[in-house]
Amino acid sequence: MCNNKEVTTVEGLAKGDKLHPMQEAFIKHDAFQCGYCTPGQICSAVGMVNEGHAKTDGEIRKQMSGNICRCGAYRNIVRAIKEAGNI
């Protein structure tokens, strides 16, 4: 599915030592959870904001619903996305 397509990983979001605003917001809002799903959460959040699908808390939750986690930091994730997306 990804042949001949560009794929950005969580490591590719940073510019050298400068973290992407979404990475910084996840740190600030303690949205890391256990860490296992954090890269997917951050990449999904960046894509969602870039596509303009992060206007409300409900929309953020719906768009992020494919990123399953059991750690319970969902409120912090929503806060981080809203901050980094200037929402």
Side-chain angles (χ1 to χ4, degrees), residues 14-32:
K15 303 291 185 213
D17 290 337
K18 175 84 171 114
L19 294 178
H20 185 279
M22 190 67 71
Q23 291 169 309
E24 290 177 347
F26 265 64
I27 292 168
K28 177 180 177 183
H29 292 280
D30 194 26
F32 275 106

Side-chain angles (χ1 to χ4, degrees), residues 37-81:
C37 67
T38 301
Q41 297 274 7
I42 292 173
C43 287
S44 291
V46 169
M48 175 182 54
V49 168
N50 288 344
E51 293 172 0
H53 298 297
K55 305 255 186 279
T56 66
D57 288 9
E59 189 174 31
I60 291 169
R61 286 186 181 94
K62 181 179 179 183
Q63 293 293 322
M64 294 296 287
S65 66
N67 296 80
I68 304 297
C69 184
R70 302 288 180 243
C71 295
Y74 290 112
R75 280 189 224 134
N76 299 354
I77 290 170
V78 171
R79 288 181 190 129
I81 293 169

